[in-house]
Amino acid sequence: MIRWLVVVVLALLLMSGLTAWLRRFGFGRLPGDFEFRAFGREWQLPIGSTVALSTLAALVAKLI
């Protein structure tokens, strides 16, 4: 259970770091991606994009 939590946190950190680049391809604007402003800063939770990229990575891994 802890491993999955670590994987999800790392995926969210990776997504937040690559948000500007991935927005060109439509990621970060999928249903399930949340953006809100709190404490004077914009926060993003790209849950829908994370699921889409995870599915894509699983399909690629299965083909290889």
Side-chain angles (χ1 to χ4, degrees):
M1 181 78 172
I2 296 295
R3 286 184 186 175
W4 285 109
L5 182 62
V6 169
V7 168
V8 168
V9 168
L10 289 176
L12 288 173
L13 286 173
L14 181 66
M15 287 290 295
S16 67
L18 298 174
T19 300
W21 184 73
L22 289 172
R23 280 187 181 257
R24 294 180 193 165
F25 302 108
F27 290 100
R29 293 178 281 175
L30 297 174
D33 293 339
F34 302 105
E35 292 184 22
F36 58 93
R37 180 170 282 257
F39 307 113
R41 182 175 177 199
E42 270 191 41
W43 296 85
Q44 300 172 348
L45 294 172
I47 297 170
S49 294
T50 303
V51 170
L53 289 175
S54 297
T55 304
L56 181 66
L59 288 173
V60 169
K62 189 174 183 175
L63 291 175
I64 293 176

